[in-house]
């Protein structure tokens, strides 16, 4: 039966039947291979989330969800977007902007979905931590292979990204399949092998608590042991972590850096350090540009649920996918935001000033941002705020909906908090990333 999602209706398709019929028809009608770069494009409908079944070897009974944009390019790139514990493929689809980025740049998105009760990915068993060893990584690799066959995907442009459990799986996928993935972006994760257990448990308290430490060489050896004898190129890695993460503690961030700098053979001393957003510290290792071998972003005062809209665009830049496709990337700088808070024991007030720094008027605006974990808006002014926590959209009031070039509007809200009273660190204006000052 078809499932519904919050973003668009979900259709269930007979992918296995179509996958068999299309090549059969081509063989009986044509005397030479088809010239199209995407001969099986109709295997899934476009611009909607689709569940694909019978996609290949799947030892842990994962579900595969697929998003193919109307604007899918010939030989498209593939992004595997892996959900958090308690999440699902459809939740990752509706709760992140990967599908809208696919619309813009023409790549395909795969959303693996766990069916086990915990809804967490297996990043701990011996099977998961070995190439073709079994469990979730094998199923995800089968999904990638299915997309590669069906859409003639560019095998040099396969990427993985994930949040929390999905971030841990991103580390695992890059370790197990360095010949498949070109790069990864892990939001609130842990190093490859850190969660390893041998008793069947899915949880490793020492790792989650940040007490598992190794030398860079030891961390690197764990990755290399997943695919013994492999001497080819290794995928680049981008890691994100909040300093106040109380689920997967912040020391894991430093251990990830140690691991991937060793795997990629670059110095642990940053080649560049900057602050692209207030409260962020970004370090790059092995190179100074957007595609450095390792990039690490530390978010001061932010907890485990750090992911917010705009971050996927930065991961896309790290992947190198924002300069190709049917449309150019919207560049930051068309808007500027200044945000501050005034806090007391369990509450705060926030003031947010939005400035149109572009050259044309904005008629009707929506300001997107993510509240830090533990904050809930109780009332606001100057805009309508929905929802009250998590990823929030502030929509203009009737009297301030037009912003001429170089003009500003100040809005605000009151919120409760459980200890973290900082202001949001990233903002988007009608989907475009704003500079934060």
């Amino acid at each position: 039966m078809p499932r519904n999602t919050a973003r668009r209706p979900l259709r269930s398709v007979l992918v296995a039947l179509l996958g068999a019929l299309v090549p059969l028809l081509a063989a009986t009608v044509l005397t030479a291979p088809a010239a199209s770069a995407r001969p099986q494009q109709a295997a899934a409908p476009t611009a909607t989330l689709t569940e694909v079944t019978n996609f290949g070897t799947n030892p842990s009974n994962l579900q595969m969800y697929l998003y193919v944009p109307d604007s899918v390019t010939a030989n498209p790139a593939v992004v595997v977007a892996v959900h958090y514990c308690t999440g699902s493929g459809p939740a990752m689809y509706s709760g992140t902007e990967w599908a809208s980025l696919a619309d813009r740049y023409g790549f395909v998105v795969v959303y693996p979905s766990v069916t086990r009760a915990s809804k967490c990915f297996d990043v701990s068993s011996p099977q998961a931590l070995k190439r073709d060893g079994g469990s979730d990584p094998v199923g995800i690799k089968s999904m990638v292979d299915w997309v590669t066959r069906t859409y003639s995907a560019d095998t040099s442009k396969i990427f993985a990204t994930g949040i929390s459990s999905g971030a841990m799986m991103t580390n695992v996928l890059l370790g197990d399949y360095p010949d498949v993935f070109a790069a990864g972006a892990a939001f609130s994760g842990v190093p490859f092998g850190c969660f390893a257990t041998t008793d069947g448990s899915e949880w490793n308290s020492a790792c989650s608590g940040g007490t598992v430490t190794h030398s860079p060489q030891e961390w690197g050896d764990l990755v290399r042991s997943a695919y013994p004898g492999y001497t080819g190129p290794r995928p680049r890695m981008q890691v994100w972590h909040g300093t106040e993460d109380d689920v997967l503690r912040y020391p894991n961030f430093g251990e990830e850096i140690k691991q991937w700098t060793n795997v990629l053979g670059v110095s642990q001393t940053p080649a560049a350090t900057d602050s692209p957003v207030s409260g962020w510290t970004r370090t790059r290792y092995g190179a100074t540009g957007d595609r450095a071998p390792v990039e690490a972003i530390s978010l001061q005062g932010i907890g485990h649920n750090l992911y917010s809209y705009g971050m996927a665009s930065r991961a896309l830049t790290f992947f190198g996918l924002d300069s190709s496709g049917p449309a150019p990337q919207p560049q930051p700088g068309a808007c500027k935001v200044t945000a501050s808070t005034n806090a007391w024991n369990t509450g705060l007030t926030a003031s947010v000033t939005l400035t149109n720094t572009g050259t044309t008027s904005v008629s009707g605006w929506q300001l997107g941002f993510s509240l830090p974990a533990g904050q809930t808006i109780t009332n606001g002014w100057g805009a309508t705020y929905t929802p009250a926590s998590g990823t929030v959209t502030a929509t203009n009031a009737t009297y301030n909906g037009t912003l001429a070039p170089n003009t500003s509007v100040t809005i605000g809200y009151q919120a409760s908090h459980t200890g973290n009273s900082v202001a949001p660190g990233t903002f988007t204006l009608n989907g475009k990333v704003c500079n934060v000052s």
Side-chain angles (χ1 to χ4, degrees):
M1 297 291 291
R3 298 173 172 83
N4 293 324
T5 72
R7 190 174 188 271
R8 293 191 179 100
L10 172 63
R11 303 175 191 171
S12 179
V13 296
L14 299 177
V15 173
L17 179 59
L18 286 171
L21 286 177
V22 171
L24 177 60
L25 290 172
T28 57
V29 175
L30 303 177
T31 58
S36 170
R38 298 175 274 143
Q40 296 132 319
Q41 182 179 347
T46 59
T48 188
L49 186 66
T50 303
E51 183 174 2
V52 177
T53 58
N54 299 323
F55 51 83
T57 305
N58 185 22
S60 54
N61 195 33
L62 297 178
Q63 291 174 293
M64 173 184 175
Y65 292 91
L66 184 71
Y67 183 79
V68 181
D70 285 333
S71 58
V72 64
T73 61
N75 310 119
V78 180
V79 173
V80 179
V82 194
H83 68 74
Y84 42 88
C85 282
T86 75
S88 66
M92 193 71 175
Y93 165 78
S94 61
T96 66
E97 67 269 44
W98 284 108
S100 62
L101 290 170
D103 288 336
R104 186 176 301 276
Y105 297 108
F107 58 84
V108 175
V109 190
V110 176
Y111 299 94
S113 196
V114 169
T115 57
R116 66 177 61 89
S118 67
K119 302 299 182 182
C120 296
F121 284 91
D122 176 14
V123 296
S124 57
S125 74
Q127 293 78 19
L129 298 174
K130 181 180 179 182
R131 178 186 177 83
D132 296 335
S135 196
D136 296 347
V138 169
I140 295 173
K141 169 64 162 48
S142 294
M143 298 177 196
V144 171
D145 289 343
W146 187 94
V147 173
T148 299
R149 292 192 305 269
T150 305
Y151 294 96
S152 300
D154 186 341
T155 56
S156 70
K157 295 182 179 179
I158 311 294
F159 304 91
T161 186
I163 302 170
S164 189
S165 178
M168 293 192 280
M169 178 52 72
T170 297
N171 278 264
V172 169
L173 289 172
L174 268 60
D176 284 356
Y177 296 104
D179 55 333
V180 173
F181 293 94
F187 296 84
S188 303
V190 303
F192 177 99
C194 184
F195 243 60
T197 60
T198 56
D199 59 0
S201 174
E202 293 180 39
W203 192 257
N204 185 317
S205 296
C207 178
S208 65
T211 62
V212 175
T213 60
H214 290 296
S215 69
Q217 183 68 35
E218 289 169 337
W219 278 126
D221 287 345
L222 283 175
V223 171
R224 288 181 284 270
S225 68
Y227 188 5
Y230 177 74
T231 58
R234 294 279 178 173
R236 297 176 298 111
M237 175 61 96
Q238 182 189 65
V239 294
W240 301 67
H241 224 102
T243 61
E244 301 303 314
D245 193 326
D246 59 355
V247 178
L248 300 173
R249 297 284 183 178
Y250 185 67
N252 283 301
F253 177 66
E255 299 302 300
E256 282 181 292
I257 294 170
K258 286 159 62 176
Q259 182 171 69
W260 290 105
T261 51
N262 180 267
V263 167
L264 288 157
V266 299
S267 172
Q268 291 183 69
T269 301
T273 302
D274 64 359
S275 181
V277 172
S278 177
W280 294 15
T281 300
R282 177 172 61 187
T283 47
R284 287 167 167 168
Y285 302 84
T288 61
D290 288 337
R291 301 187 201 179
V294 178
E295 180 173 278
I297 301 97
S298 172
L299 282 68
Q300 183 64 39
I302 303 300
H304 185 63
N305 298 322
L306 65 76
Y307 180 85
S308 65
Y309 274 69
M311 291 181 177
S313 293
R314 293 178 181 272
L316 201 72
T317 297
F318 180 75
F319 293 166
L321 293 181
D322 60 353
S323 58
S324 62
Q329 181 188 29
Q331 293 299 310
C335 49
K336 181 179 71 174
V337 172
T338 302
S340 62
T341 58
N342 183 18
W344 57 94
N345 291 340
T346 59
L348 62 87
T349 57
S351 177
V352 179
T353 298
L354 167 65
T355 302
N356 176 11
T357 58
T359 58
T360 59
S361 292
V362 175
S363 297
W365 51 264
Q366 289 187 324
L367 189 67
F369 58 91
S370 287
L371 286 177
Q375 292 187 18
T376 301
I377 294 175
T378 54
N379 62 77
W381 48 94
T384 302
Y385 300 84
T386 55
S389 61
T391 302
V392 177
T393 299
T395 302
N396 65 268
T398 56
Y399 61 85
N400 64 6
T402 299
L403 275 176
N406 298 314
T407 62
S408 301
V409 60
T410 297
I411 61 176
Y413 56 86
Q414 188 171 22
S416 60
H417 69 83
T418 57
N420 185 357
S421 60
V422 301
T426 59
F427 295 86
T428 58
L429 173 61
N430 295 347
K432 295 184 178 181
V433 179
C434 296
N435 288 328
V436 179
S437 61

